[in-house]
Amino acid sequence: MVAQVESTFSPQSVIINHLGKVNLVNQTKRSDGYGNFVNDHGAFELSKPNAPEIFSVIPKGDRTMQKKKGY
């Protein structure tokens, strides 16, 4: 999770405003540890006019998923 947030706030990131949703997107792919290279998208909570907060970070571009453990 920390690697996702760090990647989102890197100098290579750009702001994308689409349909009122503001995302900070890292244009440089990073390894997610499962053999994927992903771009991290940071979504912001903008309900407070003077204090935007990071709401979520979503890795985009992953194809290989972690195997689920059966119990």
Side-chain angles (χ1 to χ4, degrees):
M1 183 72 162
V2 173
Q4 291 175 346
V5 173
E6 285 179 353
S7 174
T8 300
F9 284 99
S10 75
Q12 293 81 19
S13 297
V14 295
I15 296 171
I16 297 178
N17 186 356
H18 181 68
L19 300 174
K21 297 178 183 176
V22 178
N23 287 331
L24 190 60
V25 179
N26 188 346
Q27 299 294 318
T28 306
K29 294 186 180 288
R30 69 164 180 87
S31 175
D32 71 349
Y34 297 106
N36 298 307
F37 288 94
V38 297
N39 294 95
D40 292 311
H41 293 234
F44 288 88
E45 173 64 45
L46 300 174
S47 62
K48 299 176 185 174
N50 295 330
E53 297 177 359
I54 188 85
F55 177 72
S56 178
V57 178
I58 305 151
K60 299 279 188 164
D62 52 344
R63 302 283 180 242
T64 306
M65 300 293 181
Q66 180 181 9
K67 293 181 180 178
K68 294 184 179 182
K69 297 177 184 178
Y71 290 102

Short mmCIF file of all heavy atoms in Angstrom, two decimals:
data_model
loop_
_atom_site.label_atom_id
_atom_site.label_comp_id
_atom_site.label_asym_id
_atom_site.label_seq_id
_atom_site.Cartn_x
_atom_site.Cartn_y
_atom_site.Cartn_z
N MET A 1 0.82 -1.19 0.00
CA MET A 1 0.00 0.00 0.00
C MET A 1 0.87 1.26 0.00
O MET A 1 0.57 2.20 -0.72
CB MET A 1 -0.93 -0.04 1.21
CG MET A 1 -1.86 1.10 1.28
SD MET A 1 -3.11 0.95 0.02
CE MET A 1 -4.31 2.03 0.64
N VAL A 2 1.92 1.27 0.78
CA VAL A 2 2.80 2.44 0.84
C VAL A 2 3.48 2.66 -0.51
O VAL A 2 3.60 3.79 -0.97
CB VAL A 2 3.85 2.28 1.97
CG1 VAL A 2 4.86 3.41 1.93
CG2 VAL A 2 3.16 2.23 3.32
N ALA A 3 3.87 1.57 -1.18
CA ALA A 3 4.50 1.68 -2.50
C ALA A 3 3.53 2.28 -3.51
O ALA A 3 3.94 3.07 -4.38
CB ALA A 3 4.97 0.32 -2.97
N GLN A 4 2.25 1.97 -3.39
CA GLN A 4 1.25 2.54 -4.29
C GLN A 4 1.11 4.05 -4.09
O GLN A 4 1.05 4.80 -5.06
CB GLN A 4 -0.11 1.87 -4.07
CG GLN A 4 -0.17 0.43 -4.51
CD GLN A 4 -1.50 -0.21 -4.16
OE1 GLN A 4 -2.28 0.31 -3.39
NE2 GLN A 4 -1.74 -1.38 -4.74
N VAL A 5 1.06 4.47 -2.83
CA VAL A 5 0.93 5.90 -2.53
C VAL A 5 2.18 6.65 -2.98
O VAL A 5 2.09 7.72 -3.59
CB VAL A 5 0.64 6.13 -1.04
CG1 VAL A 5 0.66 7.61 -0.70
CG2 VAL A 5 -0.69 5.52 -0.66
N GLU A 6 3.36 6.10 -2.71
CA GLU A 6 4.61 6.74 -3.13
C GLU A 6 4.65 6.87 -4.65
O GLU A 6 5.05 7.90 -5.18
CB GLU A 6 5.81 5.94 -2.65
CG GLU A 6 6.11 6.10 -1.19
CD GLU A 6 7.30 5.28 -0.75
OE1 GLU A 6 7.84 4.48 -1.56
OE2 GLU A 6 7.71 5.44 0.41
N SER A 7 4.24 5.83 -5.35
CA SER A 7 4.22 5.86 -6.80
C SER A 7 3.25 6.90 -7.33
O SER A 7 3.53 7.60 -8.30
CB SER A 7 3.86 4.47 -7.33
OG SER A 7 3.71 4.49 -8.73
N THR A 8 2.09 7.00 -6.69
CA THR A 8 1.08 7.98 -7.12
C THR A 8 1.59 9.41 -6.99
O THR A 8 1.32 10.24 -7.85
CB THR A 8 -0.19 7.81 -6.28
OG1 THR A 8 -0.70 6.49 -6.47
CG2 THR A 8 -1.26 8.80 -6.68
N PHE A 9 2.35 9.71 -5.95
CA PHE A 9 2.82 11.07 -5.71
C PHE A 9 4.21 11.33 -6.30
O PHE A 9 4.87 12.29 -5.91
CB PHE A 9 2.81 11.39 -4.22
CG PHE A 9 1.45 11.66 -3.69
CD1 PHE A 9 0.74 10.67 -3.01
CD2 PHE A 9 0.85 12.88 -3.89
CE1 PHE A 9 -0.53 10.90 -2.53
CE2 PHE A 9 -0.42 13.14 -3.40
CZ PHE A 9 -1.11 12.14 -2.73
N SER A 10 4.66 10.51 -7.24
CA SER A 10 5.97 10.72 -7.84
C SER A 10 5.95 11.92 -8.80
O SER A 10 4.88 12.33 -9.26
CB SER A 10 6.41 9.47 -8.60
OG SER A 10 5.70 9.36 -9.81
N PRO A 11 7.09 12.48 -9.12
CA PRO A 11 7.14 13.63 -10.03
C PRO A 11 6.63 13.33 -11.44
O PRO A 11 6.27 14.23 -12.18
CB PRO A 11 8.62 14.00 -10.06
CG PRO A 11 9.19 13.43 -8.82
CD PRO A 11 8.39 12.19 -8.53
N GLN A 12 6.59 12.05 -11.84
CA GLN A 12 6.12 11.67 -13.17
C GLN A 12 4.59 11.63 -13.27
O GLN A 12 4.04 11.41 -14.34
CB GLN A 12 6.68 10.30 -13.59
CG GLN A 12 8.17 10.26 -13.79
CD GLN A 12 8.93 10.12 -12.50
OE1 GLN A 12 8.40 9.70 -11.48
NE2 GLN A 12 10.20 10.49 -12.52
N SER A 13 3.90 11.81 -12.17
CA SER A 13 2.44 11.72 -12.15
C SER A 13 1.80 12.97 -12.76
O SER A 13 2.35 14.06 -12.69
CB SER A 13 1.94 11.54 -10.71
OG SER A 13 2.40 10.34 -10.18
N VAL A 14 0.63 12.75 -13.36
CA VAL A 14 -0.13 13.84 -13.96
C VAL A 14 -1.54 13.85 -13.38
O VAL A 14 -2.05 12.82 -12.95
CB VAL A 14 -0.18 13.73 -15.50
CG1 VAL A 14 1.18 13.89 -16.10
CG2 VAL A 14 -0.81 12.42 -15.92
N ILE A 15 -2.17 15.02 -13.39
CA ILE A 15 -3.54 15.15 -12.89
C ILE A 15 -4.50 14.92 -14.04
O ILE A 15 -4.35 15.51 -15.11
CB ILE A 15 -3.77 16.54 -12.28
CG1 ILE A 15 -2.87 16.72 -11.06
CG2 ILE A 15 -5.23 16.74 -11.91
CD1 ILE A 15 -2.86 18.12 -10.51
N ILE A 16 -5.49 14.07 -13.82
CA ILE A 16 -6.53 13.80 -14.81
C ILE A 16 -7.87 14.12 -14.17
O ILE A 16 -8.23 13.56 -13.14
CB ILE A 16 -6.49 12.34 -15.29
CG1 ILE A 16 -5.16 12.07 -16.00
CG2 ILE A 16 -7.66 12.05 -16.20
CD1 ILE A 16 -4.98 10.67 -16.46
N ASN A 17 -8.61 15.04 -14.78
CA ASN A 17 -9.93 15.42 -14.32
C ASN A 17 -10.93 14.92 -15.36
O ASN A 17 -10.97 15.41 -16.48
CB ASN A 17 -10.03 16.93 -14.16
CG ASN A 17 -11.35 17.37 -13.55
OD1 ASN A 17 -12.23 16.55 -13.30
ND2 ASN A 17 -11.48 18.65 -13.33
N HIS A 18 -11.72 13.92 -14.99
CA HIS A 18 -12.68 13.32 -15.92
C HIS A 18 -14.04 13.22 -15.24
O HIS A 18 -14.17 12.52 -14.25
CB HIS A 18 -12.19 11.95 -16.37
CG HIS A 18 -13.11 11.27 -17.33
ND1 HIS A 18 -13.30 11.73 -18.61
CD2 HIS A 18 -13.89 10.19 -17.20
CE1 HIS A 18 -14.16 10.95 -19.23
NE2 HIS A 18 -14.53 9.99 -18.38
N LEU A 19 -15.01 13.92 -15.78
CA LEU A 19 -16.38 13.89 -15.26
C LEU A 19 -16.45 14.25 -13.77
O LEU A 19 -17.18 13.63 -13.00
CB LEU A 19 -17.03 12.53 -15.51
CG LEU A 19 -17.14 12.10 -16.98
CD1 LEU A 19 -17.67 10.68 -17.07
CD2 LEU A 19 -18.02 13.06 -17.76
N GLY A 20 -15.66 15.22 -13.36
CA GLY A 20 -15.69 15.67 -11.98
C GLY A 20 -14.89 14.83 -11.01
O GLY A 20 -14.84 15.12 -9.83
N LYS A 21 -14.25 13.79 -11.51
CA LYS A 21 -13.40 12.95 -10.66
C LYS A 21 -11.95 13.31 -10.94
O LYS A 21 -11.51 13.31 -12.09
CB LYS A 21 -13.63 11.47 -10.96
CG LYS A 21 -15.03 11.02 -10.66
CD LYS A 21 -15.23 9.57 -11.02
CE LYS A 21 -16.66 9.16 -10.77
NZ LYS A 21 -16.91 7.80 -11.21
N VAL A 22 -11.21 13.62 -9.89
CA VAL A 22 -9.82 14.02 -10.03
C VAL A 22 -8.93 12.86 -9.61
O VAL A 22 -9.04 12.36 -8.48
CB VAL A 22 -9.52 15.27 -9.18
CG1 VAL A 22 -8.06 15.65 -9.30
CG2 VAL A 22 -10.41 16.42 -9.60
N ASN A 23 -8.06 12.43 -10.52
CA ASN A 23 -7.10 11.37 -10.24
C ASN A 23 -5.70 11.86 -10.50
O ASN A 23 -5.47 12.66 -11.40
CB ASN A 23 -7.35 10.14 -11.13
CG ASN A 23 -8.58 9.38 -10.72
OD1 ASN A 23 -8.97 9.38 -9.56
ND2 ASN A 23 -9.21 8.72 -11.67
N LEU A 24 -4.77 11.37 -9.72
CA LEU A 24 -3.35 11.59 -9.94
C LEU A 24 -2.81 10.27 -10.46
O LEU A 24 -2.90 9.25 -9.77
CB LEU A 24 -2.68 12.00 -8.64
CG LEU A 24 -1.26 12.50 -8.71
CD1 LEU A 24 -1.17 13.74 -9.58
CD2 LEU A 24 -0.75 12.82 -7.31
N VAL A 25 -2.29 10.26 -11.69
CA VAL A 25 -1.90 9.02 -12.35
C VAL A 25 -0.41 9.04 -12.64
O VAL A 25 0.10 9.96 -13.27
CB VAL A 25 -2.68 8.82 -13.66
CG1 VAL A 25 -2.25 7.54 -14.36
CG2 VAL A 25 -4.17 8.80 -13.40
N ASN A 26 0.29 8.00 -12.18
CA ASN A 26 1.71 7.86 -12.48
C ASN A 26 1.85 7.26 -13.87
O ASN A 26 1.33 6.19 -14.15
CB ASN A 26 2.39 6.96 -11.44
CG ASN A 26 3.89 6.93 -11.61
OD1 ASN A 26 4.43 7.37 -12.61
ND2 ASN A 26 4.57 6.42 -10.61
N GLN A 27 2.56 7.95 -14.76
CA GLN A 27 2.74 7.49 -16.13
C GLN A 27 3.81 6.41 -16.24
O GLN A 27 3.89 5.73 -17.26
CB GLN A 27 3.11 8.68 -17.02
CG GLN A 27 2.05 9.75 -17.07
CD GLN A 27 0.77 9.28 -17.73
OE1 GLN A 27 0.80 8.59 -18.74
NE2 GLN A 27 -0.36 9.65 -17.15
N THR A 28 4.63 6.25 -15.21
CA THR A 28 5.69 5.24 -15.21
C THR A 28 5.19 3.99 -14.51
O THR A 28 4.70 4.05 -13.38
CB THR A 28 6.94 5.77 -14.47
OG1 THR A 28 7.31 7.01 -15.05
CG2 THR A 28 8.08 4.79 -14.56
N LYS A 29 5.30 2.86 -15.19
CA LYS A 29 4.84 1.60 -14.60
C LYS A 29 5.81 1.13 -13.52
O LYS A 29 7.00 1.38 -13.58
CB LYS A 29 4.72 0.53 -15.68
CG LYS A 29 3.64 0.84 -16.68
CD LYS A 29 3.46 -0.31 -17.64
CE LYS A 29 2.38 -0.02 -18.64
NZ LYS A 29 1.04 -0.04 -18.12
N ARG A 30 5.25 0.44 -12.50
CA ARG A 30 6.07 -0.15 -11.45
C ARG A 30 5.70 -1.61 -11.30
O ARG A 30 4.58 -2.02 -11.64
CB ARG A 30 5.88 0.59 -10.11
CG ARG A 30 4.53 0.39 -9.50
CD ARG A 30 4.47 0.77 -8.04
NE ARG A 30 3.12 0.53 -7.57
CZ ARG A 30 2.69 -0.64 -7.11
NH1 ARG A 30 3.50 -1.66 -6.98
NH2 ARG A 30 1.43 -0.79 -6.72
N SER A 31 6.61 -2.41 -10.79
CA SER A 31 6.35 -3.83 -10.55
C SER A 31 5.50 -3.98 -9.30
O SER A 31 5.77 -3.35 -8.28
CB SER A 31 7.66 -4.58 -10.38
OG SER A 31 7.40 -5.92 -10.04
N ASP A 32 4.46 -4.83 -9.38
CA ASP A 32 3.59 -5.02 -8.22
C ASP A 32 3.97 -6.22 -7.37
O ASP A 32 3.32 -6.52 -6.39
CB ASP A 32 2.12 -5.11 -8.65
CG ASP A 32 1.79 -6.39 -9.37
OD1 ASP A 32 2.70 -7.16 -9.74
OD2 ASP A 32 0.59 -6.64 -9.57
N GLY A 33 5.00 -6.96 -7.75
CA GLY A 33 5.44 -8.10 -6.97
C GLY A 33 4.83 -9.42 -7.41
O GLY A 33 5.19 -10.47 -6.91
N TYR A 34 3.88 -9.38 -8.34
CA TYR A 34 3.24 -10.59 -8.86
C TYR A 34 3.53 -10.79 -10.34
O TYR A 34 2.83 -11.54 -11.01
CB TYR A 34 1.72 -10.53 -8.64
CG TYR A 34 1.34 -10.48 -7.19
CD1 TYR A 34 0.88 -9.31 -6.62
CD2 TYR A 34 1.46 -11.60 -6.37
CE1 TYR A 34 0.54 -9.25 -5.29
CE2 TYR A 34 1.14 -11.55 -5.04
CZ TYR A 34 0.67 -10.37 -4.50
OH TYR A 34 0.34 -10.31 -3.18
N GLY A 35 4.52 -10.09 -10.86
CA GLY A 35 4.87 -10.21 -12.27
C GLY A 35 4.16 -9.22 -13.17
O GLY A 35 4.28 -9.29 -14.39
N ASN A 36 3.43 -8.29 -12.60
CA ASN A 36 2.72 -7.27 -13.37
C ASN A 36 3.46 -5.95 -13.30
O ASN A 36 4.17 -5.67 -12.34
CB ASN A 36 1.31 -7.03 -12.80
CG ASN A 36 0.46 -8.25 -12.86
OD1 ASN A 36 0.29 -8.85 -13.90
ND2 ASN A 36 -0.10 -8.62 -11.72
N PHE A 37 3.26 -5.13 -14.31
CA PHE A 37 3.71 -3.75 -14.28
C PHE A 37 2.47 -2.88 -14.37
O PHE A 37 1.69 -3.00 -15.32
CB PHE A 37 4.69 -3.47 -15.42
CG PHE A 37 6.02 -4.13 -15.18
CD1 PHE A 37 6.29 -5.37 -15.70
CD2 PHE A 37 6.97 -3.51 -14.40
CE1 PHE A 37 7.50 -6.00 -15.46
CE2 PHE A 37 8.19 -4.12 -14.15
CZ PHE A 37 8.45 -5.37 -14.69
N VAL A 38 2.25 -2.05 -13.36
CA VAL A 38 1.00 -1.31 -13.22
C VAL A 38 1.24 0.20 -13.14
O VAL A 38 2.33 0.64 -12.78
CB VAL A 38 0.23 -1.77 -11.96
CG1 VAL A 38 -0.19 -3.22 -12.07
CG2 VAL A 38 1.02 -1.55 -10.70
N ASN A 39 0.20 0.96 -13.49
CA ASN A 39 0.16 2.40 -13.27
C ASN A 39 -0.75 2.63 -12.08
O ASN A 39 -1.84 2.09 -12.03
CB ASN A 39 -0.41 3.13 -14.49
CG ASN A 39 0.47 3.01 -15.69
OD1 ASN A 39 0.27 2.14 -16.50
ND2 ASN A 39 1.47 3.85 -15.79
N ASP A 40 -0.30 3.43 -11.12
CA ASP A 40 -1.11 3.70 -9.94
C ASP A 40 -1.96 4.95 -10.15
O ASP A 40 -1.47 5.98 -10.60
CB ASP A 40 -0.22 3.87 -8.71
CG ASP A 40 0.44 2.56 -8.32
OD1 ASP A 40 -0.28 1.55 -8.24
OD2 ASP A 40 1.66 2.54 -8.10
N HIS A 41 -3.25 4.83 -9.83
CA HIS A 41 -4.21 5.93 -9.94
C HIS A 41 -4.65 6.31 -8.53
O HIS A 41 -5.23 5.49 -7.82
CB HIS A 41 -5.44 5.49 -10.74
CG HIS A 41 -5.16 5.21 -12.17
ND1 HIS A 41 -5.86 5.81 -13.17
CD2 HIS A 41 -4.27 4.41 -12.78
CE1 HIS A 41 -5.41 5.39 -14.33
NE2 HIS A 41 -4.44 4.53 -14.11
N GLY A 42 -4.39 7.52 -8.13
CA GLY A 42 -4.82 8.01 -6.81
C GLY A 42 -6.09 8.82 -6.95
O GLY A 42 -6.15 9.77 -7.72
N ALA A 43 -7.14 8.41 -6.25
CA ALA A 43 -8.42 9.12 -6.26
C ALA A 43 -8.49 10.02 -5.02
O ALA A 43 -8.07 9.62 -3.94
CB ALA A 43 -9.57 8.13 -6.25
N PHE A 44 -9.05 11.21 -5.19
CA PHE A 44 -9.10 12.18 -4.12
C PHE A 44 -10.51 12.42 -3.64
O PHE A 44 -11.47 12.35 -4.40
CB PHE A 44 -8.50 13.51 -4.58
CG PHE A 44 -7.01 13.46 -4.72
CD1 PHE A 44 -6.43 13.07 -5.90
CD2 PHE A 44 -6.21 13.79 -3.65
CE1 PHE A 44 -5.06 13.00 -6.03
CE2 PHE A 44 -4.83 13.73 -3.76
CZ PHE A 44 -4.26 13.34 -4.95
N GLU A 45 -10.63 12.71 -2.35
CA GLU A 45 -11.89 13.12 -1.72
C GLU A 45 -11.90 14.64 -1.75
O GLU A 45 -11.04 15.29 -1.16
CB GLU A 45 -11.96 12.61 -0.29
CG GLU A 45 -13.12 13.12 0.50
CD GLU A 45 -14.45 12.67 -0.05
OE1 GLU A 45 -14.57 11.48 -0.39
OE2 GLU A 45 -15.35 13.51 -0.15
N LEU A 46 -12.87 15.22 -2.47
CA LEU A 46 -12.89 16.67 -2.66
C LEU A 46 -14.08 17.34 -1.99
O LEU A 46 -14.46 18.44 -2.37
CB LEU A 46 -12.88 16.99 -4.15
CG LEU A 46 -11.66 16.48 -4.91
CD1 LEU A 46 -11.82 16.73 -6.40
CD2 LEU A 46 -10.39 17.12 -4.40
N SER A 47 -14.68 16.70 -1.01
CA SER A 47 -15.86 17.30 -0.36
C SER A 47 -15.48 18.48 0.53
O SER A 47 -16.30 19.34 0.80
CB SER A 47 -16.62 16.26 0.45
OG SER A 47 -15.81 15.74 1.48
N LYS A 48 -14.24 18.53 0.98
CA LYS A 48 -13.76 19.68 1.77
C LYS A 48 -13.04 20.62 0.81
O LYS A 48 -12.04 20.24 0.21
CB LYS A 48 -12.81 19.19 2.86
CG LYS A 48 -13.46 18.25 3.84
CD LYS A 48 -12.44 17.73 4.83
CE LYS A 48 -13.08 16.69 5.73
NZ LYS A 48 -12.10 16.06 6.61
N PRO A 49 -13.54 21.83 0.64
CA PRO A 49 -13.00 22.70 -0.41
C PRO A 49 -11.53 23.09 -0.26
O PRO A 49 -10.85 23.28 -1.25
CB PRO A 49 -13.88 23.95 -0.32
CG PRO A 49 -14.53 23.91 1.01
CD PRO A 49 -14.58 22.47 1.43
N ASN A 50 -11.02 23.19 0.94
CA ASN A 50 -9.64 23.64 1.12
C ASN A 50 -8.67 22.53 1.52
O ASN A 50 -7.51 22.81 1.73
CB ASN A 50 -9.58 24.75 2.18
CG ASN A 50 -10.31 25.99 1.73
OD1 ASN A 50 -10.38 26.26 0.55
ND2 ASN A 50 -10.87 26.72 2.68
N ALA A 51 -9.16 21.31 1.62
CA ALA A 51 -8.29 20.23 2.09
C ALA A 51 -8.56 18.92 1.34
O ALA A 51 -9.18 18.02 1.88
CB ALA A 51 -8.48 20.02 3.59
N PRO A 52 -8.10 18.80 0.08
CA PRO A 52 -8.28 17.53 -0.60
C PRO A 52 -7.47 16.43 0.08
O PRO A 52 -6.36 16.66 0.55
CB PRO A 52 -7.78 17.80 -2.01
CG PRO A 52 -6.91 18.99 -1.90
CD PRO A 52 -7.40 19.77 -0.73
N GLU A 53 -8.05 15.23 0.15
CA GLU A 53 -7.39 14.09 0.79
C GLU A 53 -7.34 12.93 -0.19
O GLU A 53 -8.24 12.77 -1.01
CB GLU A 53 -8.17 13.65 2.03
CG GLU A 53 -8.25 14.69 3.11
CD GLU A 53 -9.10 14.23 4.29
OE1 GLU A 53 -9.64 13.10 4.24
OE2 GLU A 53 -9.23 14.99 5.25
N ILE A 54 -6.31 12.11 -0.06
CA ILE A 54 -6.25 10.90 -0.88
C ILE A 54 -7.30 9.94 -0.35
O ILE A 54 -7.41 9.71 0.84
CB ILE A 54 -4.83 10.29 -0.88
CG1 ILE A 54 -4.71 9.15 -1.87
CG2 ILE A 54 -4.42 9.81 0.47
CD1 ILE A 54 -4.40 9.58 -3.24
N PHE A 55 -8.14 9.44 -1.23
CA PHE A 55 -9.23 8.54 -0.85
C PHE A 55 -8.85 7.09 -1.09
O PHE A 55 -9.08 6.22 -0.28
CB PHE A 55 -10.49 8.90 -1.64
CG PHE A 55 -11.65 8.00 -1.38
CD1 PHE A 55 -12.33 8.06 -0.18
CD2 PHE A 55 -12.07 7.10 -2.33
CE1 PHE A 55 -13.41 7.23 0.08
CE2 PHE A 55 -13.15 6.26 -2.09
CZ PHE A 55 -13.81 6.33 -0.88
N SER A 56 -8.23 6.83 -2.25
CA SER A 56 -7.89 5.46 -2.60
C SER A 56 -6.78 5.48 -3.65
O SER A 56 -6.63 6.43 -4.40
CB SER A 56 -9.12 4.76 -3.18
OG SER A 56 -8.81 3.45 -3.58
N VAL A 57 -6.00 4.39 -3.70
CA VAL A 57 -5.00 4.20 -4.74
C VAL A 57 -5.31 2.87 -5.42
O VAL A 57 -5.44 1.84 -4.76
CB VAL A 57 -3.57 4.20 -4.18
CG1 VAL A 57 -2.57 3.96 -5.29
CG2 VAL A 57 -3.27 5.50 -3.47
N ILE A 58 -5.44 2.91 -6.75
CA ILE A 58 -5.84 1.74 -7.50
C ILE A 58 -4.76 1.40 -8.52
O ILE A 58 -4.42 2.25 -9.35
CB ILE A 58 -7.17 2.00 -8.24
CG1 ILE A 58 -8.21 2.46 -7.24
CG2 ILE A 58 -7.62 0.78 -9.01
CD1 ILE A 58 -9.25 3.36 -7.82
N PRO A 59 -4.19 0.19 -8.46
CA PRO A 59 -3.24 -0.21 -9.50
C PRO A 59 -4.00 -0.64 -10.75
O PRO A 59 -4.90 -1.47 -10.68
CB PRO A 59 -2.48 -1.37 -8.86
CG PRO A 59 -3.42 -1.93 -7.85
CD PRO A 59 -4.29 -0.81 -7.40
N LYS A 60 -3.66 -0.08 -11.90
CA LYS A 60 -4.31 -0.43 -13.16
C LYS A 60 -3.31 -1.14 -14.05
O LYS A 60 -2.17 -0.74 -14.15
CB LYS A 60 -4.82 0.82 -13.88
CG LYS A 60 -5.84 1.60 -13.12
CD LYS A 60 -7.19 0.99 -13.27
CE LYS A 60 -8.22 1.91 -12.64
NZ LYS A 60 -9.55 1.62 -13.04
N GLY A 61 -3.77 -2.20 -14.70
CA GLY A 61 -2.93 -2.92 -15.66
C GLY A 61 -2.46 -4.27 -15.18
O GLY A 61 -1.66 -4.92 -15.84
N ASP A 62 -2.95 -4.74 -14.02
CA ASP A 62 -2.52 -6.04 -13.53
C ASP A 62 -3.31 -7.16 -14.23
O ASP A 62 -4.50 -7.09 -14.38
CB ASP A 62 -2.64 -6.15 -12.02
CG ASP A 62 -4.00 -5.77 -11.49
OD1 ASP A 62 -4.78 -5.15 -12.23
OD2 ASP A 62 -4.29 -6.11 -10.35
N ARG A 63 -2.59 -8.16 -14.69
CA ARG A 63 -3.20 -9.31 -15.36
C ARG A 63 -3.04 -10.58 -14.53
O ARG A 63 -3.91 -11.42 -14.50
CB ARG A 63 -2.56 -9.53 -16.73
CG ARG A 63 -2.67 -8.35 -17.66
CD ARG A 63 -4.07 -8.26 -18.24
NE ARG A 63 -4.15 -7.11 -19.14
CZ ARG A 63 -4.95 -6.09 -18.97
NH1 ARG A 63 -5.73 -6.04 -17.93
NH2 ARG A 63 -4.97 -5.11 -19.82
N THR A 64 -1.91 -10.73 -13.86
CA THR A 64 -1.64 -11.90 -13.03
C THR A 64 -2.09 -11.60 -11.62
O THR A 64 -1.67 -10.64 -11.01
CB THR A 64 -0.13 -12.24 -13.02
OG1 THR A 64 0.31 -12.37 -14.35
CG2 THR A 64 0.13 -13.51 -12.27
N MET A 65 -2.98 -12.42 -11.09
CA MET A 65 -3.51 -12.19 -9.74
C MET A 65 -2.84 -13.15 -8.74
O MET A 65 -2.36 -14.21 -9.10
CB MET A 65 -5.02 -12.43 -9.71
CG MET A 65 -5.79 -11.53 -10.62
SD MET A 65 -5.65 -9.85 -10.01
CE MET A 65 -6.63 -9.02 -11.20
N GLN A 66 -2.90 -12.77 -7.48
CA GLN A 66 -2.38 -13.60 -6.41
C GLN A 66 -3.29 -14.82 -6.27
O GLN A 66 -4.52 -14.72 -6.34
CB GLN A 66 -2.37 -12.81 -5.11
CG GLN A 66 -1.85 -13.57 -3.93
CD GLN A 66 -1.89 -12.72 -2.66
OE1 GLN A 66 -2.44 -11.64 -2.63
NE2 GLN A 66 -1.29 -13.24 -1.62
N LYS A 67 -2.69 -15.98 -6.08
CA LYS A 67 -3.47 -17.19 -5.92
C LYS A 67 -4.17 -17.17 -4.56
O LYS A 67 -3.57 -16.84 -3.54
CB LYS A 67 -2.59 -18.42 -6.03
CG LYS A 67 -2.03 -18.61 -7.42
CD LYS A 67 -1.17 -19.84 -7.50
CE LYS A 67 -0.63 -19.97 -8.92
NZ LYS A 67 0.25 -21.13 -9.05
N LYS A 68 -5.45 -17.54 -4.55
CA LYS A 68 -6.20 -17.57 -3.32
C LYS A 68 -5.89 -18.86 -2.56
O LYS A 68 -5.76 -19.92 -3.14
CB LYS A 68 -7.69 -17.48 -3.60
CG LYS A 68 -8.10 -16.16 -4.19
CD LYS A 68 -9.58 -16.07 -4.38
CE LYS A 68 -9.94 -14.72 -4.94
NZ LYS A 68 -11.37 -14.54 -5.10
N LYS A 69 -5.83 -18.73 -1.25
CA LYS A 69 -5.57 -19.88 -0.40
C LYS A 69 -6.88 -20.50 0.00
O LYS A 69 -7.79 -19.82 0.45
CB LYS A 69 -4.81 -19.46 0.86
CG LYS A 69 -3.44 -18.88 0.56
CD LYS A 69 -2.76 -18.42 1.83
CE LYS A 69 -1.44 -17.76 1.51
NZ LYS A 69 -0.79 -17.26 2.71
N GLY A 70 -7.01 -21.77 -0.20
CA GLY A 70 -8.24 -22.48 0.20
C GLY A 70 -8.15 -22.95 1.64
O GLY A 70 -7.17 -23.51 2.06
N TYR A 71 -9.17 -22.68 2.38
CA TYR A 71 -9.18 -23.10 3.80
C TYR A 71 -10.27 -24.11 4.01
O TYR A 71 -11.30 -24.13 3.53
CB TYR A 71 -9.42 -21.90 4.74
CG TYR A 71 -8.24 -20.96 4.78
CD1 TYR A 71 -8.25 -19.76 4.07
CD2 TYR A 71 -7.11 -21.28 5.50
CE1 TYR A 71 -7.18 -18.92 4.10
CE2 TYR A 71 -6.02 -20.43 5.54
CZ TYR A 71 -6.06 -19.26 4.83
OH TYR A 71 -4.98 -18.41 4.88
#
